[in-house]
Protein backbone atom coordinates (compact mmCIF):
# COMPACT_ATOMS: atom_id res chain seq x y z
CA UNK A 1 0.00 0.00 0.00
CA UNK A 2 1.46 3.40 -0.94
CA UNK A 3 2.47 5.64 1.92
CA UNK A 4 3.99 9.01 2.64
CA UNK A 5 7.63 8.79 3.61
CA UNK A 6 9.78 11.35 5.41
CA UNK A 7 13.50 11.76 5.94
CA UNK A 8 15.32 12.00 8.17
CA UNK A 9 13.43 10.42 11.04
CA UNK A 10 15.40 12.52 13.52
CA UNK A 11 17.36 15.71 12.89
CA UNK A 12 19.50 17.44 15.47
CA UNK A 13 20.76 20.92 14.68
CA UNK A 14 22.29 23.95 16.32
CA UNK A 15 20.22 27.08 16.82
CA UNK A 16 20.58 29.39 13.84
CA UNK A 17 21.31 26.63 11.36
CA UNK A 18 19.22 25.86 8.32
CA UNK A 19 17.40 22.54 8.07
CA UNK A 20 15.54 20.88 5.23
CA UNK A 21 12.96 18.25 6.00
CA UNK A 22 12.06 15.96 3.15
CA UNK A 23 8.86 14.21 2.25
CA UNK A 24 7.84 11.92 -0.58
CA UNK A 25 4.05 12.12 -0.92
CA UNK A 26 1.93 9.35 -2.39
CA UNK A 27 2.57 9.43 -6.11
CA UNK A 28 -0.83 10.41 -7.55
CA UNK A 29 -1.66 12.92 -4.80
CA UNK A 30 -2.05 16.57 -5.68
CA UNK A 31 -2.30 18.38 -2.35
CA UNK A 32 0.56 18.51 0.12
CA UNK A 33 0.77 19.70 3.70
CA UNK A 34 3.17 20.29 6.54
CA UNK A 35 2.16 20.11 10.19
CA UNK A 36 4.11 20.28 13.39
CA UNK A 37 3.51 18.86 16.84
CA UNK A 38 5.44 20.24 19.78
CA UNK A 39 5.95 17.58 22.43
CA UNK A 40 2.80 17.15 24.48
CA UNK A 41 0.77 19.57 22.36
CA UNK A 42 -1.73 19.23 19.54
CA UNK A 43 -0.87 18.94 15.88
CA UNK A 44 -0.74 22.38 14.23
CA UNK A 45 -1.22 23.22 10.57
CA UNK A 46 1.70 24.97 8.90
CA UNK A 47 1.09 25.13 5.18
CA UNK A 48 -0.75 23.58 2.27
CA UNK A 49 0.59 23.36 -1.28
CA UNK A 50 -1.21 22.74 -4.54
CA UNK A 51 -0.30 23.25 -8.17
CA UNK A 52 3.23 24.31 -7.26
CA UNK A 53 2.21 27.10 -4.95
CA UNK A 54 1.17 27.68 -1.38
CA UNK A 55 -2.62 27.45 -0.96
CA UNK A 56 -2.80 28.50 2.64
CA UNK A 57 -0.43 29.03 5.53
CA UNK A 58 -0.83 29.54 9.24
CA UNK A 59 0.61 32.33 11.34
CA UNK A 60 3.32 29.90 12.45
CA UNK A 61 4.61 29.74 8.88
CA UNK A 62 6.60 32.97 8.89
CA UNK A 63 9.48 34.13 6.70
CA UNK A 64 11.80 31.58 8.27
CA UNK A 65 9.83 28.78 6.63
CA UNK A 66 9.59 27.85 3.00
CA UNK A 67 8.31 24.88 1.02
CA UNK A 68 9.32 23.55 -2.32
CA UNK A 69 8.51 20.73 -4.68
CA UNK A 70 11.83 20.61 -6.49
CA UNK A 71 10.96 17.62 -8.66
CA UNK A 72 8.02 15.33 -9.31
CA UNK A 73 8.36 13.39 -6.10
CA UNK A 74 9.87 15.37 -3.23
CA UNK A 75 8.18 18.00 -1.07
CA UNK A 76 10.48 19.87 1.29
CA UNK A 77 10.15 22.16 4.28
CA UNK A 78 13.05 24.50 4.92
CA UNK A 79 13.64 26.40 8.13
CA UNK A 80 16.25 29.07 7.44
CA UNK A 81 17.51 29.88 10.91
CA UNK A 82 16.25 27.46 13.49
CA UNK A 83 15.18 28.53 16.96
CA UNK A 84 14.87 26.47 20.10
CA UNK A 85 11.09 26.64 19.83
CA UNK A 86 11.21 24.97 16.41
CA UNK A 87 11.93 21.69 18.18
CA UNK A 88 8.95 19.47 17.32
CA UNK A 89 7.72 16.58 15.23
CA UNK A 90 7.07 17.69 11.67
CA UNK A 91 4.52 15.73 9.69
CA UNK A 92 4.03 15.80 5.97
CA UNK A 93 0.68 14.79 4.51
CA UNK A 94 -0.76 14.40 1.05
CA UNK A 95 -4.18 13.85 -0.44
CA UNK A 96 -5.84 13.35 -3.81
CA UNK A 97 -9.53 13.79 -3.01
CA UNK A 98 -10.78 13.92 0.53
CA UNK A 99 -8.49 12.22 2.98
CA UNK A 100 -5.03 13.27 4.07
CA UNK A 101 -2.42 10.60 4.60
CA UNK A 102 0.31 11.42 7.06
CA UNK A 103 3.95 10.47 6.99
CA UNK A 104 5.74 9.07 10.05
CA UNK A 105 7.22 12.45 10.91
CA UNK A 106 10.65 13.96 11.43
CA UNK A 107 11.66 14.78 14.95
CA UNK A 108 13.60 18.05 14.89
CA UNK A 109 15.70 18.90 17.92
CA UNK A 110 17.26 22.35 18.05
CA UNK A 111 20.09 22.75 20.57
CA UNK B 1 -11.89 30.87 16.16
CA UNK B 2 -12.13 27.23 15.11
CA UNK B 3 -11.64 24.95 18.08
CA UNK B 4 -11.77 21.23 18.76
CA UNK B 5 -12.01 20.04 22.35
CA UNK B 6 -11.59 16.42 23.39
CA UNK B 7 -12.33 14.59 26.59
CA UNK B 8 -11.13 12.89 28.59
CA UNK B 9 -7.49 13.90 28.27
CA UNK B 10 -6.48 10.33 29.08
CA UNK B 11 -8.00 7.10 30.20
CA UNK B 12 -6.93 3.64 31.26
CA UNK B 13 -9.02 0.58 30.48
CA UNK B 14 -8.65 -3.15 30.90
CA UNK B 15 -8.19 -5.31 27.86
CA UNK B 16 -11.53 -6.45 26.49
CA UNK B 17 -13.47 -3.51 27.88
CA UNK B 18 -15.18 -0.78 25.88
CA UNK B 19 -14.61 2.96 26.03
CA UNK B 20 -15.98 6.14 24.50
CA UNK B 21 -14.07 9.28 23.63
CA UNK B 22 -15.73 12.67 23.15
CA UNK B 23 -15.11 15.55 20.78
CA UNK B 24 -16.82 18.97 20.69
CA UNK B 25 -16.05 21.46 17.97
CA UNK B 26 -16.78 25.01 16.93
CA UNK B 27 -15.39 24.80 13.41
CA UNK B 28 -17.24 26.70 10.74
CA UNK B 29 -18.06 26.11 7.99
CA UNK B 30 -18.10 22.41 8.68
CA UNK B 31 -16.81 20.09 5.98
CA UNK B 32 -16.03 16.79 7.66
CA UNK B 33 -14.85 15.22 10.91
CA UNK B 34 -12.16 12.60 11.19
CA UNK B 35 -10.83 10.44 13.95
CA UNK B 36 -7.17 9.53 13.81
CA UNK B 37 -5.10 7.08 15.81
CA UNK B 38 -1.57 8.20 16.58
CA UNK B 39 0.92 5.76 18.02
CA UNK B 40 3.76 7.29 20.01
CA UNK B 41 6.35 8.84 17.69
CA UNK B 42 4.31 8.11 14.58
CA UNK B 43 2.07 10.05 12.24
CA UNK B 44 -1.72 10.03 12.63
CA UNK B 45 -3.58 7.24 10.83
CA UNK B 46 -7.16 7.77 9.75
CA UNK B 47 -9.85 5.66 11.41
CA UNK B 48 -13.07 7.28 10.18
CA UNK B 49 -14.24 10.30 8.24
CA UNK B 50 -17.79 11.66 8.38
CA UNK B 51 -19.50 14.41 6.46
CA UNK B 52 -22.43 16.54 7.60
CA UNK B 53 -25.04 14.01 6.52
CA UNK B 54 -23.48 10.99 8.23
CA UNK B 55 -24.15 10.28 11.87
CA UNK B 56 -22.31 7.02 12.37
CA UNK B 57 -19.43 5.18 10.77
CA UNK B 58 -17.60 2.04 11.76
CA UNK B 59 -14.13 0.71 11.10
CA UNK B 60 -13.78 -2.68 12.72
CA UNK B 61 -13.98 -2.22 16.48
CA UNK B 62 -14.06 1.56 16.13
CA UNK B 63 -17.42 3.31 15.77
CA UNK B 64 -17.69 7.06 15.37
CA UNK B 65 -20.84 9.13 15.76
CA UNK B 66 -21.54 12.67 14.68
CA UNK B 67 -24.26 15.08 15.80
CA UNK B 68 -23.85 18.07 13.53
CA UNK B 69 -26.59 20.00 15.34
CA UNK B 70 -24.83 19.91 18.71
CA UNK B 71 -21.38 19.79 17.08
CA UNK B 72 -20.37 16.71 18.97
CA UNK B 73 -18.71 13.46 17.98
CA UNK B 74 -17.74 10.33 19.82
CA UNK B 75 -15.44 7.41 19.13
CA UNK B 76 -16.38 4.10 20.68
CA UNK B 77 -13.79 1.35 20.98
CA UNK B 78 -15.26 -2.10 21.47
CA UNK B 79 -13.45 -5.02 23.11
CA UNK B 80 -10.21 -3.11 23.50
CA UNK B 81 -6.89 -4.72 22.71
CA UNK B 82 -3.40 -3.85 23.91
CA UNK B 83 -2.65 -2.49 20.44
CA UNK B 84 -5.38 0.12 20.90
CA UNK B 85 -3.07 1.98 23.28
CA UNK B 86 -2.48 5.27 21.46
CA UNK B 87 -3.59 8.86 21.20
CA UNK B 88 -6.92 9.35 19.43
CA UNK B 89 -7.29 12.67 17.73
CA UNK B 90 -10.47 14.35 16.55
CA UNK B 91 -9.88 16.51 13.48
CA UNK B 92 -12.43 18.82 11.90
CA UNK B 93 -12.12 20.26 8.43
CA UNK B 94 -13.47 23.70 7.58
CA UNK B 95 -12.68 23.37 3.93
CA UNK B 96 -10.22 21.89 1.52
CA UNK B 97 -7.02 23.03 3.08
CA UNK B 98 -6.95 23.44 6.80
CA UNK B 99 -7.65 20.88 9.49
CA UNK B 100 -8.32 21.79 13.11
CA UNK B 101 -6.89 19.23 15.50
CA UNK B 102 -8.00 18.34 18.98
CA UNK B 103 -5.38 17.72 21.63
CA UNK B 104 -6.18 14.02 21.62
CA UNK B 105 -7.20 11.45 24.20
CA UNK B 106 -4.46 9.11 25.34
CA UNK B 107 -5.83 5.60 25.76
CA UNK B 108 -3.88 3.02 27.71
CA UNK B 109 -5.10 -0.56 27.55
CA UNK B 110 -3.84 -2.81 30.30
CA UNK B 111 -3.82 -6.60 30.41
Amino acid sequence: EPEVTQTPSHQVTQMGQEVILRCVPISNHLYFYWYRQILGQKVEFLVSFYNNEISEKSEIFDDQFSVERPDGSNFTLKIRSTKLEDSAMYFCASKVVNEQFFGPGTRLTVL
Amino acid sequence: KNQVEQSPQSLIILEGKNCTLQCNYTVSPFSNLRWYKQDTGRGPVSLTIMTFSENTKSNGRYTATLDADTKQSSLHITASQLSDSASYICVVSAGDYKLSFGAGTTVTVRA
Side-chain angles (χ1 to χ4, degrees), chain B residues 36-58:
Chain B
Y36 283 88
K37 179 185 179 187
Q38 184 178 23
D39 292 313
T40 302
R42 305 289 297 175
V45 175
S46 179
L47 295 174
T48 63
I49 178 170
M50 292 181 289
T51 59
F52 186 87
S53 59
E54 298 173 294
N55 55 23
T56 187
K57 184 162 282 190
S58 292

Side-chain angles (χ1 to χ4, degrees), chain A:
Chain A
E1 186 174 331
E3 58 184 17
V4 177
T5 60
Q6 291 185 241
T7 55
S9 57
H10 191 187
Q11 173 93 45
V12 181
T13 189
Q14 294 289 326
M15 188 171 57
Q17 295 296 304
E18 174 184 286
V19 295
I20 298 176
L21 310 183
R22 291 183 167 80
C23 168
V24 179
I26 295 173
S27 63
N28 63 333
H29 286 191
L30 303 175
Y31 300 85
F32 314 109
Y33 307 82
W34 282 102
Y35 297 87
R36 80 172 185 190
Q37 186 176 30
I38 295 171
L39 184 65
Q41 298 185 22
K42 63 176 67 175
V43 177
E44 300 172 289
F45 168 79
L46 291 178
V47 65
S48 59
F49 192 86
Y50 171 71
N51 201 25
N52 284 320
E53 61 183 23
I54 291 174
S55 311
E56 189 168 354
K57 59 183 180 180
S58 71
E59 55 204 24
I60 303 168
F61 195 88
D62 60 22
D63 292 344
Q64 291 300 310
F65 291 89
S66 63
V67 290
E68 196 176 37
R69 189 158 161 81
D71 52 44
S73 59
N74 289 287
F75 179 51
T76 62
L77 174 69
K78 181 193 289 187
I79 308 175
R80 288 191 181 81
S81 178
T82 50
K83 303 186 284 284
L84 295 176
E85 54 264 37
D86 292 327
S87 294
M89 282 288 286
Y90 288 81
F91 296 106
C92 170
S94 70
K95 78 170 187 179
V96 60
V97 178
N98 207 18
E99 183 171 348
Q100 293 188 26
F101 292 84
F102 287 80
T106 292
R107 178 171 298 284
L108 176 64
T109 302
V110 182
L111 302 176

